[in-house]
Amino acid sequence: MENSSSIRIGISACLAGDKVRFDTGHKRSNFCMDELAQHVEYVKFCPEVAVGLPIPRPTIRQVKVGDTIKVCRPDGTGDVGPKLTQYGKKVATEHASSLSGFIFCAKSPSCGMERVKIYNEAGTGNTSEGVGFFAQQIMQHNPLLPCEENGRLNDPHLRENFVMRVYVFKSWQNLNLHSVGMHELTQFHAKHKYLVMAHNYESYRELGRYLAQASETPIEQVKQSYISGLMKALASPASRKNQTNTLAHLQGYFKNDLSKIEKQELCNAIDQYRQGLVPLYVPLTLLKHHLTVHPNEYLAQQVYFDPYPNELKLRFGI
C-alpha cells in the first residue's frame, strides 16, 4: 500500500465544506472530510468561482439552444460554458500528474459527472443526460484518473471501488517516478494479480498474457496498454462470485498447512460470504491470519489483502 500522505485527490470545494455555492451554502461530505481525509490530501476546486462568478450568485444551469449547450442563468443570459471548459482544460493539464483521483459534486452544471439536467430553451422541460463542463474536461484529458461523485460514494461498493482505484493509480504513478522496464512492470502486475482476478477474471488472464508476449514491443507502448487495461478491469466493483473465486484460489495456497478443522473453518467463512451472510472482511481476516502463521512471500506482496488503510473499514460493508 502507498504512503497515504502522498496521495492527492481533487475535490469540488463545496464537498470540502467551503461555502462557495450559489446560495452561500456547501455540501460537505462526511465520508470525504471525516474519514478519507485522514489518509489523503485534498486539492479543492470551485470552477464557478474560479471563472469569476460571485458568492452569492444567481443559479446557473445547462440550457440547450439549437445544437449548443450553454451554462447560463435560467433566463438564458450570462453563459459561462466556454470559461468553464477553458478552466477545466487548464486544471486537467496542470494537475495531470499530481492528482490520483477526483471527487465531483453530483448534478452540478459545472462538476456533475453524469445525469446533469439539460433544460430546453423555454425552460419548460429537461433531460438528465448532461455532464458538467468542468468535470468533462478533467475526465476527457485524464481518462485513467479515478473519478467519483459525492452521492455515489454513499454506496459501500462504489465507495470501496473508488478508494481502491485511487490507491492502485497512485502506486502506478510512484512506479513511474523511476525508470520502468519489463521487469518492473511484471513485478507490478504480480502484486496486483489477485485484485484484478477479483474484478475481472478475463482481464486477469489477458493482462498476464499481454505482458508475457510484449518483450519486443516498445516499453512506453506496453506501459500505456497495460495501465489502460488495468484501470478498465478495476473500473467496476467486484462481484460476489468473482470475490468468492479469488478467495478460493488464495485458500489453495494453504492446502498443505492447515488442519482439517482449520480448512473447514475457512471453507465455511468463504461460503458464508458467497451466500451474503458475512462481509468480505470475514474470510479475508482468516486468510490473513493463516498467512501470518504460514508465511508465503508471493502472497504477502498481494495488494488484494490490503489495497488501502484498514481504518477506512471499506470491506465491512461489501
mmCIF file of all heavy atoms in Angstrom, residues 3 35 43-44 53 61 70 74 86 90 101 104 141 175 184 197 213 216 223 234 237 253 255 259 283 308:
data_model
loop_
_atom_site.group_PDB
_atom_site.id
_atom_site.type_symbol
_atom_site.label_atom_id
_atom_site.label_comp_id
_atom_site.label_asym_id
_atom_site.label_seq_id
_atom_site.Cartn_x
_atom_site.Cartn_y
_atom_site.Cartn_z
ATOM 1 N N ASN A 3 2.285 5.162 0.537
ATOM 2 C CA ASN A 3 2.376 6.142 1.609
ATOM 3 C C ASN A 3 1.207 7.109 1.469
ATOM 4 O O ASN A 3 1.140 7.915 0.557
ATOM 5 C CB ASN A 3 3.701 6.893 1.475
ATOM 6 C CG ASN A 3 3.825 8.012 2.499
ATOM 7 O OD1 ASN A 3 2.987 8.160 3.377
ATOM 8 N ND2 ASN A 3 4.886 8.793 2.365
ATOM 9 N N GLU A 35 -13.471 10.860 7.198
ATOM 10 C CA GLU A 35 -12.830 9.540 7.120
ATOM 11 C C GLU A 35 -11.666 9.512 6.122
ATOM 12 O O GLU A 35 -10.510 9.302 6.507
ATOM 13 C CB GLU A 35 -13.888 8.483 6.758
ATOM 14 C CG GLU A 35 -14.994 8.362 7.809
ATOM 15 C CD GLU A 35 -16.053 7.346 7.427
ATOM 16 O OE1 GLU A 35 -15.680 6.214 7.081
ATOM 17 O OE2 GLU A 35 -17.246 7.698 7.455
ATOM 18 N N VAL A 43 -7.092 18.666 -2.948
ATOM 19 C CA VAL A 43 -6.858 19.906 -3.685
ATOM 20 C C VAL A 43 -8.253 20.378 -4.113
ATOM 21 O O VAL A 43 -8.935 19.688 -4.868
ATOM 22 C CB VAL A 43 -5.960 19.671 -4.917
ATOM 23 C CG1 VAL A 43 -5.661 21.005 -5.607
ATOM 24 C CG2 VAL A 43 -4.661 18.982 -4.511
ATOM 25 N N LYS A 44 -8.669 21.531 -3.605
ATOM 26 C CA LYS A 44 -10.052 21.984 -3.780
ATOM 27 C C LYS A 44 -10.219 22.878 -5.012
ATOM 28 O O LYS A 44 -9.369 23.713 -5.296
ATOM 29 C CB LYS A 44 -10.516 22.729 -2.521
ATOM 30 C CG LYS A 44 -10.480 21.870 -1.270
ATOM 31 C CD LYS A 44 -11.045 22.593 -0.062
ATOM 32 C CE LYS A 44 -10.108 23.653 0.454
ATOM 33 N NZ LYS A 44 -10.582 24.212 1.758
ATOM 34 N N LEU A 53 -17.624 34.017 -11.094
ATOM 35 C CA LEU A 53 -18.980 34.181 -10.556
ATOM 36 C C LEU A 53 -18.908 34.503 -9.059
ATOM 37 O O LEU A 53 -18.085 33.927 -8.338
ATOM 38 C CB LEU A 53 -19.804 32.916 -10.789
ATOM 39 C CG LEU A 53 -20.062 32.560 -12.261
ATOM 40 C CD1 LEU A 53 -20.899 31.285 -12.374
ATOM 41 C CD2 LEU A 53 -20.775 33.699 -12.982
ATOM 42 N N ARG A 61 -27.586 26.896 -15.005
ATOM 43 C CA ARG A 61 -27.932 25.544 -15.429
ATOM 44 C C ARG A 61 -27.560 25.358 -16.894
ATOM 45 O O ARG A 61 -27.259 26.314 -17.600
ATOM 46 C CB ARG A 61 -29.412 25.277 -15.207
ATOM 47 C CG ARG A 61 -30.375 26.174 -15.970
ATOM 48 C CD ARG A 61 -31.771 26.022 -15.384
ATOM 49 N NE ARG A 61 -32.819 26.599 -16.204
ATOM 50 C CZ ARG A 61 -34.088 26.658 -15.833
ATOM 51 N NH1 ARG A 61 -34.466 26.162 -14.660
ATOM 52 N NH2 ARG A 61 -35.004 27.177 -16.623
ATOM 53 N N LYS A 70 -25.486 25.764 -23.407
ATOM 54 C CA LYS A 70 -24.934 26.872 -22.632
ATOM 55 C C LYS A 70 -24.972 26.518 -21.144
ATOM 56 O O LYS A 70 -25.758 25.675 -20.712
ATOM 57 C CB LYS A 70 -25.770 28.149 -22.851
ATOM 58 C CG LYS A 70 -25.712 28.739 -24.234
ATOM 59 C CD LYS A 70 -26.534 30.037 -24.248
ATOM 60 C CE LYS A 70 -26.423 30.757 -25.586
ATOM 61 N NZ LYS A 70 -27.185 32.048 -25.553
ATOM 62 N N PRO A 74 -31.230 30.927 -15.704
ATOM 63 C CA PRO A 74 -32.477 30.393 -16.280
ATOM 64 C C PRO A 74 -33.056 31.239 -17.418
ATOM 65 O O PRO A 74 -33.740 30.710 -18.292
ATOM 66 C CB PRO A 74 -33.426 30.360 -15.081
ATOM 67 C CG PRO A 74 -32.517 30.158 -13.900
ATOM 68 C CD PRO A 74 -31.284 30.965 -14.226
ATOM 69 N N GLN A 86 -12.577 26.115 -20.597
ATOM 70 C CA GLN A 86 -11.185 26.574 -20.614
ATOM 71 C C GLN A 86 -10.520 26.308 -19.260
ATOM 72 O O GLN A 86 -9.372 25.842 -19.193
ATOM 73 C CB GLN A 86 -11.153 28.071 -20.940
ATOM 74 C CG GLN A 86 -9.748 28.629 -21.129
ATOM 75 C CD GLN A 86 -9.772 30.134 -21.442
ATOM 76 O OE1 GLN A 86 -10.822 30.752 -21.460
ATOM 77 N NE2 GLN A 86 -8.603 30.696 -21.668
ATOM 78 N N LYS A 90 -7.335 23.789 -18.271
ATOM 79 C CA LYS A 90 -6.174 24.303 -17.543
ATOM 80 C C LYS A 90 -5.862 23.425 -16.328
ATOM 81 O O LYS A 90 -4.718 23.002 -16.125
ATOM 82 C CB LYS A 90 -6.456 25.748 -17.101
ATOM 83 C CG LYS A 90 -5.333 26.423 -16.328
ATOM 84 C CD LYS A 90 -5.675 27.897 -16.109
ATOM 85 C CE LYS A 90 -4.576 28.631 -15.357
ATOM 86 N NZ LYS A 90 -4.571 28.345 -13.920
ATOM 87 N N GLY A 101 -6.901 11.020 -8.046
ATOM 88 C CA GLY A 101 -8.341 10.802 -8.088
ATOM 89 C C GLY A 101 -9.050 12.142 -8.058
ATOM 90 O O GLY A 101 -8.424 13.189 -7.839
ATOM 91 N N PHE A 104 -16.281 14.726 -7.520
ATOM 92 C CA PHE A 104 -17.086 15.823 -8.043
ATOM 93 C C PHE A 104 -18.418 15.945 -7.310
ATOM 94 O O PHE A 104 -18.914 14.977 -6.732
ATOM 95 C CB PHE A 104 -17.380 15.595 -9.535
ATOM 96 C CG PHE A 104 -16.174 15.623 -10.421
ATOM 97 C CD1 PHE A 104 -15.663 14.448 -10.970
ATOM 98 C CD2 PHE A 104 -15.550 16.819 -10.735
ATOM 99 C CE1 PHE A 104 -14.562 14.466 -11.808
ATOM 100 C CE2 PHE A 104 -14.444 16.852 -11.574
ATOM 101 C CZ PHE A 104 -13.943 15.675 -12.110
ATOM 102 N N HIS A 141 -9.386 14.612 -20.442
ATOM 103 C CA HIS A 141 -7.936 14.766 -20.568
ATOM 104 C C HIS A 141 -7.160 13.757 -19.729
ATOM 105 O O HIS A 141 -5.976 13.541 -19.965
ATOM 106 C CB HIS A 141 -7.519 16.194 -20.193
ATOM 107 C CG HIS A 141 -7.835 17.211 -21.241
ATOM 108 N ND1 HIS A 141 -9.095 17.753 -21.389
ATOM 109 C CD2 HIS A 141 -7.073 17.761 -22.218
ATOM 110 C CE1 HIS A 141 -9.092 18.612 -22.403
ATOM 111 N NE2 HIS A 141 -7.880 18.631 -22.926
ATOM 112 N N LEU A 175 5.490 4.218 -9.323
ATOM 113 C CA LEU A 175 6.348 3.333 -10.111
ATOM 114 C C LEU A 175 7.019 4.118 -11.231
ATOM 115 O O LEU A 175 8.203 3.944 -11.513
ATOM 116 C CB LEU A 175 5.514 2.186 -10.691
ATOM 117 C CG LEU A 175 6.262 1.184 -11.585
ATOM 118 C CD1 LEU A 175 7.156 0.279 -10.742
ATOM 119 C CD2 LEU A 175 5.279 0.339 -12.400
ATOM 120 N N GLU A 184 10.230 -4.442 -14.006
ATOM 121 C CA GLU A 184 9.447 -3.667 -13.030
ATOM 122 C C GLU A 184 7.947 -3.769 -13.311
ATOM 123 O O GLU A 184 7.130 -3.866 -12.390
ATOM 124 C CB GLU A 184 9.877 -2.191 -13.055
ATOM 125 C CG GLU A 184 11.261 -1.916 -12.509
ATOM 126 C CD GLU A 184 12.382 -2.277 -13.470
ATOM 127 O OE1 GLU A 184 12.109 -2.446 -14.690
ATOM 128 O OE2 GLU A 184 13.532 -2.382 -13.002
ATOM 129 N N MET A 197 -8.039 -10.337 -10.545
ATOM 130 C CA MET A 197 -8.869 -11.544 -10.634
ATOM 131 C C MET A 197 -10.230 -11.332 -9.967
ATOM 132 O O MET A 197 -11.264 -11.770 -10.478
ATOM 133 C CB MET A 197 -8.162 -12.725 -9.953
ATOM 134 C CG MET A 197 -8.980 -14.012 -10.007
ATOM 135 S SD MET A 197 -8.272 -15.358 -9.026
ATOM 136 C CE MET A 197 -6.968 -15.912 -10.113
ATOM 137 N N GLN A 213 3.898 -11.668 -23.745
ATOM 138 C CA GLN A 213 4.175 -11.628 -25.186
ATOM 139 C C GLN A 213 4.694 -10.273 -25.673
ATOM 140 O O GLN A 213 4.864 -10.066 -26.866
ATOM 141 C CB GLN A 213 2.900 -11.987 -25.960
ATOM 142 C CG GLN A 213 2.379 -13.386 -25.659
ATOM 143 C CD GLN A 213 0.980 -13.633 -26.230
ATOM 144 O OE1 GLN A 213 0.342 -12.716 -26.735
ATOM 145 N NE2 GLN A 213 0.512 -14.880 -26.145
ATOM 146 N N GLU A 216 8.997 -7.650 -27.257
ATOM 147 C CA GLU A 216 9.527 -6.956 -28.437
ATOM 148 C C GLU A 216 8.851 -5.600 -28.675
ATOM 149 O O GLU A 216 9.244 -4.854 -29.572
ATOM 150 C CB GLU A 216 9.342 -7.830 -29.689
ATOM 151 C CG GLU A 216 10.005 -9.197 -29.613
ATOM 152 C CD GLU A 216 11.511 -9.104 -29.405
ATOM 153 O OE1 GLU A 216 12.142 -8.278 -30.088
ATOM 154 O OE2 GLU A 216 12.042 -9.829 -28.546
ATOM 155 N N LYS A 223 3.541 -0.009 -21.422
ATOM 156 C CA LYS A 223 3.073 0.635 -20.185
ATOM 157 C C LYS A 223 1.682 1.231 -20.374
ATOM 158 O O LYS A 223 0.805 1.069 -19.533
ATOM 159 C CB LYS A 223 4.058 1.730 -19.761
ATOM 160 C CG LYS A 223 5.307 1.200 -19.063
ATOM 161 C CD LYS A 223 6.417 2.242 -18.996
ATOM 162 C CE LYS A 223 5.994 3.498 -18.280
ATOM 163 N NZ LYS A 223 7.107 4.489 -18.219
ATOM 164 N N LEU A 234 -10.501 -2.675 -13.274
ATOM 165 C CA LEU A 234 -10.874 -2.333 -11.898
ATOM 166 C C LEU A 234 -12.018 -1.317 -11.826
ATOM 167 O O LEU A 234 -12.426 -0.931 -10.735
ATOM 168 C CB LEU A 234 -9.653 -1.752 -11.169
ATOM 169 C CG LEU A 234 -8.417 -2.656 -11.053
ATOM 170 C CD1 LEU A 234 -7.288 -1.908 -10.356
ATOM 171 C CD2 LEU A 234 -8.742 -3.948 -10.309
ATOM 172 N N PRO A 237 -17.129 -2.314 -9.327
ATOM 173 C CA PRO A 237 -16.978 -3.123 -8.112
ATOM 174 C C PRO A 237 -16.925 -4.611 -8.439
ATOM 175 O O PRO A 237 -17.575 -5.083 -9.370
ATOM 176 C CB PRO A 237 -18.233 -2.785 -7.306
ATOM 177 C CG PRO A 237 -18.622 -1.418 -7.771
ATOM 178 C CD PRO A 237 -18.274 -1.390 -9.229
ATOM 179 N N TYR A 253 -3.437 -22.035 -1.500
ATOM 180 C CA TYR A 253 -2.041 -21.925 -1.078
ATOM 181 C C TYR A 253 -1.792 -22.578 0.288
ATOM 182 O O TYR A 253 -0.651 -22.867 0.643
ATOM 183 C CB TYR A 253 -1.619 -20.456 -1.010
ATOM 184 C CG TYR A 253 -1.311 -19.847 -2.355
ATOM 185 C CD1 TYR A 253 -2.308 -19.220 -3.098
ATOM 186 C CD2 TYR A 253 -0.031 -19.905 -2.902
ATOM 187 C CE1 TYR A 253 -2.037 -18.652 -4.344
ATOM 188 C CE2 TYR A 253 0.252 -19.349 -4.144
ATOM 189 C CZ TYR A 253 -0.751 -18.727 -4.859
ATOM 190 O OH TYR A 253 -0.484 -18.173 -6.100
ATOM 191 N N LYS A 255 -3.344 -25.450 1.421
ATOM 192 C CA LYS A 255 -3.911 -26.799 1.490
ATOM 193 C C LYS A 255 -3.023 -27.778 2.260
ATOM 194 O O LYS A 255 -3.527 -28.741 2.859
ATOM 195 C CB LYS A 255 -4.218 -27.328 0.089
ATOM 196 C CG LYS A 255 -3.006 -27.483 -0.823
ATOM 197 C CD LYS A 255 -3.441 -27.906 -2.211
ATOM 198 C CE LYS A 255 -2.239 -27.987 -3.156
ATOM 199 N NZ LYS A 255 -2.658 -28.292 -4.540
ATOM 200 N N SER A 259 -4.942 -27.662 9.344
ATOM 201 C CA SER A 259 -5.560 -28.884 9.867
ATOM 202 C C SER A 259 -6.936 -29.035 9.233
ATOM 203 O O SER A 259 -7.459 -28.107 8.601
ATOM 204 C CB SER A 259 -5.705 -28.787 11.387
ATOM 205 O OG SER A 259 -6.680 -27.800 11.721
ATOM 206 N N PRO A 283 -13.843 -13.693 5.670
ATOM 207 C CA PRO A 283 -12.904 -14.681 5.129
ATOM 208 C C PRO A 283 -11.499 -14.101 4.906
ATOM 209 O O PRO A 283 -10.498 -14.802 5.053
ATOM 210 C CB PRO A 283 -13.537 -15.116 3.801
ATOM 211 C CG PRO A 283 -14.476 -14.024 3.440
ATOM 212 C CD PRO A 283 -14.971 -13.464 4.728
ATOM 213 N N TYR A 308 -5.814 -0.555 0.716
ATOM 214 C CA TYR A 308 -5.936 0.794 1.293
ATOM 215 C C TYR A 308 -5.935 0.631 2.812
ATOM 216 O O TYR A 308 -5.998 -0.503 3.320
ATOM 217 C CB TYR A 308 -7.233 1.477 0.826
ATOM 218 C CG TYR A 308 -8.388 0.512 0.711
ATOM 219 C CD1 TYR A 308 -8.959 -0.070 1.842
ATOM 220 C CD2 TYR A 308 -8.883 0.127 -0.529
ATOM 221 C CE1 TYR A 308 -9.988 -0.993 1.740
ATOM 222 C CE2 TYR A 308 -9.902 -0.799 -0.643
ATOM 223 C CZ TYR A 308 -10.452 -1.350 0.506
ATOM 224 O OH TYR A 308 -11.456 -2.280 0.410
#
